[in-house]
Amino acid sequence: MGIVVQKFGGSSVADAECIKRVAKRVGETFEEGHKVVIVVSAMGETTDYLLDLAGKITDNPPKRELDMLLATGEQQSIALLSMALDKLGYSAVSLTGQQAGIFTDHVHAKSKILWINCERLEEELTQNHIVIVAGFQGVTERNEITTLGRGGSDTSAVALAAALKADVCEIFTDVDGVYTADPRIVPDARKLETISYDEMLELASLGALVLQPRSVEVAKQFGVKIHVRSSFNHNSGTIVQEVREMKQQMEKEIVVSGVASDLNVVKFTIFDIPDVPGTASKLFSALADDMINVDMIIQSQQRDDINDISFTVTRDDREKTKEVIAKTKDIIGGRNYSYENNVAKVSVVGAGMITNPGVAAKMFETLAENDINIEMISTSEIKVSCIIKAEYAQKAVAALHSAFELGE
Ligand code: ASP
Ligand code: MG
């Protein structure tokens, strides 16, 4: 039988009891005859705790040292899970990112996996060992420990599944799968049986927070089938896969699959930028050079020769964005700038939008009926997003969920 990669998040391994329960579950999979590779996150809130601790030492910890510190979280859980499996009579072995051959680039705190040397993993699997790999971490060619950004264990798991050509990458979490909206906001939200990579990417980056977006990118690139499911029951969850394989559902004319909101947004506006070729390029190249991800952009013409440019970034990039604007001010011109924290992005997502017009119109209409003002709009083939005031985010999600008839 083939290889199964299973990832258990922090809440699934929060304490000794949880770890024992995970060990039992892993054992069941092994008994079914699969070769099993397990990826775990740090226990419970360990990563937050470690970050906090570093913050008590210094406001600005060196990124290298932060990675050194954070990587210890996952190292605890792999060892404990391996012990729990040993106690149940299985031969298990825990491996750090480095021991598992996960090589990354040098960008500390958000490094990318470059390749995986599967030699050790394959050797262990051949000996019928259950292999437990520390998520979220890797190593550079120069043996420096790196981490993959918050939620990075998902990406570790998917990348391992790709490298080992596993049959499936099961992501165990504390919810039953991917929902049409956050069930805490929308009580009649429905669990989706399947969702395409592209839709999941949109939802993941929109704050649905079930999977780290990068993990979905990797899955899409390598065709890894992801199964998001609960670690607390045996129900089947949501399968994330290529649209092609979802044809049956598509024929049922599912236009919109889900609604999401994201509060991790800051809106910047730079006023009175001279309207000459090259200004936008200078500004956004400077932002890109500092690794700041810009999401929405609007350029609005005020007078013949002057523009305002608004754009959004995530909250943790706010301070860096201010610095970049200050740095580029002399090059691009512009009178001054402002930023707003109190905004949210709400989005409707659906692969069926490509062939069904009117989704955007219906979204705007729904927001208007609820007296919610739209500050910015962006669209893609499978998504329409609006920036609105943060206090209306929940109301907007609930209204859109019902307008698109997504509930039970
Ligand atoms: N422990 C890391 C975090 O809390 C990685 C993960 O959970 O996936 O972000
Ligand atoms: Mg997670």
Side-chain angles (χ1 to χ4, degrees), residues 170-380:
E170 298 187 315
I171 305 278
F172 287 89
T173 175
D174 49 7
V175 292
D176 273 345
V178 182
Y179 281 75
T180 50
D182 184 341
R184 285 166 306 182
I185 302 178
V186 183
D188 73 335
R190 239 177 343 102
K191 188 186 83 192
L192 295 161
E193 298 298 314
T194 56
I195 188 167
S196 65
Y197 293 124
D198 288 327
E199 290 168 303
M200 191 64 232
L201 259 176
E202 294 294 355
L203 290 173
S205 49
L206 291 173
L209 294 184
V210 208
L211 290 172
Q212 195 198 35
R214 288 236 320 278
S215 70
V216 187
E217 275 167 17
V218 175
K220 179 179 166 165
Q221 193 180 344
F222 294 95
V224 175
K225 180 165 115 185
I226 300 181
H227 185 179
V228 179
R229 59 192 307 189
S230 167
S231 63
F232 300 104
N233 59 50
H234 283 75
N235 303 342
S236 83
T238 303
I239 305 281
V240 189
Q241 62 191 1
E242 208 50 81
V243 174
R244 249 179 289 122
E245 297 154 34
M246 294 173 48
K247 214 158 93 236
Q248 245 193 322
Q249 257 208 11
M250 297 276 297
E251 278 163 4
K252 277 197 271 157
E253 282 274 49
I254 295 180
V255 180
V256 170
S257 302
V259 183
S261 63
D262 188 357
L263 292 172
N264 186 12
V265 185
V266 184
K267 177 183 161 191
F268 277 87
T269 303
I270 308 179
F271 302 100
D272 297 350
I273 298 178
D275 188 15
V276 292
T279 42
S281 127
K282 280 172 200 145
L283 171 63
F284 292 107
S285 308
L287 290 164
D289 287 347
D290 276 28
M291 309 292 284
I292 296 169
N293 241 327
V294 174
D295 185 20
M296 290 196 198
I297 301 172
I298 284 188
Q299 172 173 302
S300 50
Q301 207 162 36
Q302 281 192 304
R303 292 180 296 282
D304 304 328
D305 54 351
I306 281 176
N307 293 324
D308 292 345
I309 293 183
S310 300
F311 58 91
T312 61
V313 298
T314 57
R315 288 193 180 169
D316 35 326
D317 279 339
R318 184 186 58 210
E319 295 308 308
K320 255 204 304 183
T321 303
K322 288 192 202 166
E323 285 167 25
V324 171
I325 293 176
K327 258 194 318 212
T328 48
K329 199 165 177 296
D330 290 341
I331 318 171
I332 62 167
R335 188 164 44 85
N336 53 3
Y337 75 94
S338 70
Y339 65 89
E340 207 186 326
N341 291 315
N342 178 30
V343 288
K345 177 165 79 168
V346 288
S347 310
V348 297
V349 174
M353 275 184 208
I354 300 174
T355 48
N356 285 275
V359 172
K362 187 165 182 171
M363 178 173 190
F364 304 153
E365 198 181 292
T366 307
L367 294 175
E369 278 164 7
N370 285 275
D371 272 332
I372 298 170
N373 188 41
I374 300 170
E375 297 187 15
M376 292 170 99
I377 299 168
S378 80
T379 63
S380 77

Side-chain angles (χ1 to χ4, degrees), residues 119-172:
E119 248 172 76
R120 175 76 187 270
L121 289 162
E122 273 160 3
E123 192 185 301
E124 299 291 349
L125 289 174
T126 307
Q127 291 175 49
N128 235 359
H129 294 158
I130 297 175
V131 186
I132 302 160
V133 180
F136 177 57
Q137 56 176 263
V139 68
T140 69
E141 265 183 302
R142 297 177 52 212
N143 274 332
E144 293 284 40
I145 292 175
T146 51
T147 64
L148 309 179
R150 295 310 302 268
S153 301
D154 294 337
T155 303
S156 308
V158 172
L160 283 166
L164 293 164
K165 302 197 169 52
D167 294 342
V168 62
C169 179
E170 298 187 315
I171 305 278
F172 287 89

